[in-house]
Amino acid sequence: MWETIAFVMIGLAVGFGALLARPELYPRPRALAVGTALVSAVLAGKLTHYVMDGHAPAVQLAVSGVVAVLLVSVPARPDLSPRRRGGRHRHA
């Protein structure tokens, strides 16, 4: 049970950390970045817990953090960054 709470804390820390470190990449809605990190951390942690049969909790926490960091970049929008608005535009 404590692992789930740790996975949630990891997801929240990664999500809010991404918003604090690079706020220009997450224009709106900002809850999407936090939600993505939260869900990915919990799902990765639970899947790792199931695969490893509850052994090696440090590995479970590490995998949860790595997956959350990787997947929080999915909703990022570097094309809307203020540094890139003045130059070329991206066309679909």
Side-chain angles (χ1 to χ4, degrees):
M1 179 67 174
W2 68 268
E3 291 100 347
T4 305
I5 296 169
F7 300 147
V8 168
M9 297 303 289
I10 288 171
L12 289 174
V14 169
F16 284 118
L19 289 178
L20 290 174
R22 301 290 305 269
E24 70 274 1
L25 294 181
Y26 304 97
R28 297 197 196 270
R30 293 185 181 256
L32 185 62
V34 176
T36 301
L38 177 62
V39 170
S40 64
V42 171
L43 288 178
K46 286 300 203 179
L47 181 66
T48 309
H49 180 77
Y50 175 74
V51 169
M52 299 187 78
D53 198 27
H55 300 293
V59 174
Q60 297 171 23
L61 295 173
V63 168
S64 174
V66 168
V67 170
V69 167
L70 290 175
L71 290 182
V72 78
S73 67
V74 171
R77 296 291 309 267
D79 57 330
L80 297 179
S81 176
R83 291 185 293 226
R84 297 201 38 162
R85 287 190 182 160
R88 301 182 333 224
H89 294 286
R90 188 173 121 185
H91 298 285

